[in-house]
Amino acid sequence: MGAFQKVIIVGAGPAGLLLALFLSKEMIPVHVLEAASEIDDQPRATHYGPAGVQELERAGVLEAIRAEGFLPKDLCWRKEDGSIIAELQQEHIPLHSRVTSLPVNRVAHIILDALRQHPTAKVDFNYKVTRTGQDDDKAWVEVETPAGVKTLEASYIVGSDGASSTIRKNLFGDSFPGQTWEPWFIASNVYYDFDAHGWDDINFVIHPQNWFMAARITKDGLWRVTYGEDGKLTREQCIERQQERYRSMLPGNPGSEQYKLTNISPYRVHQKCAEKFRVGRFLLVADAAHLCNPFGGFGLTSGIVDVGGLYDCLSGIYNGLADESILDKYDEIRRRIFIEQVDKLSTANLQRVMMTEPGRALELDPFLNAAANAKKDPEAAARLAQMARGANALKHDFRQYYKTFKTESSASEHLCCT
Ligand SMILES: Cc1cc2nc3c(=O)[nH]c(=O)nc-3n(C[C@H](O)[C@H](O)[C@H](O)COP(=O)(O)OP(=O)(O)OC[C@H]3O[C@@H](n4cnc5c(N)ncnc54)[C@H](O)[C@@H]3O)c2cc1C
């Protein structure tokens, strides 16, 4: 028996399911409540960066994700005519840190399958949380279920209910500080022979209007093409323009008979961070807590890292290794990492592809310059490694706030001095 009774997790997206899996491995009782009748199949995340990959490995699901997905070999930035501005090879990066690709709905299914092996985990679909409350001893949610409205209680309640989080709104109303990008982001999945045009696994095309990303997302040749449309268009107008946009943007200027479009969704995209990630017994993770644009794959990657951190905090409390103040550390540090790293890096990634003078990209952008010269110039390689370190700064080991803890790098036990 641990120091508390149960955690309710609101939202069976990848973040909520992963937290449930981590906690279940320690026999901490969890109850996942999901409003929808099944896992969301929209075309969203596809690529997970090193910090997220390491947490997926810690949760024991990386092998299954990589078995179904794959490791992209190389990425590059191109001009509108397809010529390469800079290229980065991935193969020399250690395996445990390699970007991994698999559509997010498949990732969620793999995590759910692993979770279902644990007797202390309960997952209910068609359970929509509407209201929340808490006192000194417990927190509760009011839930619309097929059997009527229920009130469910737990020691802690985690909002992993995505961008429109009910938990966040119940805590902060409509306040979700940040900004919304003007263009629509059109995320489409398509079978098209990019290989015939010599394209890399991940390609960013730099252009002030016709910027886009094309990345292989499955082993059987499905690609994600994400591009911008005028924010004043309607959703329907964006979808109507798809054939024309593909013909003008993609290599080979294909007509619709040359590819098979399997999915298309326009998105409004934001850079936002909740006022706090902890209010008493309520905690926020991933999209419920923060949002960023998809260029560079920081959204869910940083959400997965939140989850790993929150797991360490809750597990520390449950096992008597930490007191509740560790949750304030979670709030303070995960918010700081979002604001100082994720928000800045993801914004820079997007601004890079929207650059007004692609012809001067190497002159104007130190990152592209270092990437383009890294192979032949050791100083450029060192600059690139320095800049790439930002991505690793997403992580923070909350076990250092335990009364006793072991670091990842050493087996020796330290006494906590805070
Ligand atoms: C086009 C696009 C591409 C992207 N690409 C990448 C990428 O390559 N790499 C990356 O790391 N990130 C990427 N992202 C971001 C990534 O998709 C999200 O960060 C991630 O899906 C968020 O996961 P989540 O579990 O926090 O939320 P969600 O996946 O949104 O899950 C939230 C769940 O909560 C449920 N829910 C909502 N309200 C309630 C309620 N009241 N009661 C009960 N349940 C509720 C919802 O039904 C849903 O199932 C991309 C995003 C977009 C839009």
Side-chain angles (χ1 to χ4, degrees), residues 358-379:
R360 293 179 60 211
L362 295 182
E363 194 187 321
L364 298 174
D365 188 315
F367 176 79
L368 286 181
N369 187 297
N373 292 306
K375 256 195 219 157
K376 51 182 192 285
D377 174 2
E379 269 184 32

Side-chain angles (χ1 to χ4, degrees), residues 52-119:
V53 164
Q54 287 159 23
E55 290 295 359
L56 292 169
E57 182 166 34
R58 196 156 71 106
V61 287
L62 183 63
E63 201 181 324
I65 290 171
R66 283 187 165 170
E68 198 176 323
F70 71 103
L71 307 181
K73 282 203 284 291
D74 35 33
L75 80 159
C76 69
W77 290 262
R78 296 173 184 269
K79 290 189 195 157
E80 199 185 14
D81 64 7
S83 58
I84 289 182
I85 296 170
E87 199 164 24
L88 277 181
Q89 306 295 328
Q90 300 288 298
E91 276 167 317
H92 64 280
I93 296 173
L95 203 58
H96 74 278
S97 289
R98 289 272 302 275
V99 168
T100 297
S101 179
L102 182 68
V104 67
N105 57 328
R106 287 304 313 148
V107 171
H109 277 286
I110 287 170
I111 300 171
L112 179 59
D113 288 348
L115 181 61
R116 286 199 158 128
Q117 309 300 316
H118 291 273

Side-chain angles (χ1 to χ4, degrees), residues 10-16 33-36 40 43-48 104 127-130 160-166 187 224 226 267 269 285-288 294 297-302:
V10 182
L33 313 176
E34 168 55 50
D40 183 359
R44 295 199 289 161
T46 52
H47 292 78
Y48 314 102
V104 67
Y127 270 51
K128 183 180 178 191
V129 170
T130 51
S160 53
D161 47 345
S164 307
S165 169
T166 300
R224 164 67 51 79
T226 302
Y267 288 96
V269 171
V285 289
D287 275 20
F298 278 105
L300 183 53
T301 298
S302 60

Side-chain angles (χ1 to χ4, degrees), residues 41 137 226 232 245 250 266 287 300-301 309 418:
D41 269 333
D137 303 322
T226 302
K232 293 184 208 65
R245 292 301 308 278
L250 300 193
D287 275 20
L300 183 53
T301 298
T418 52

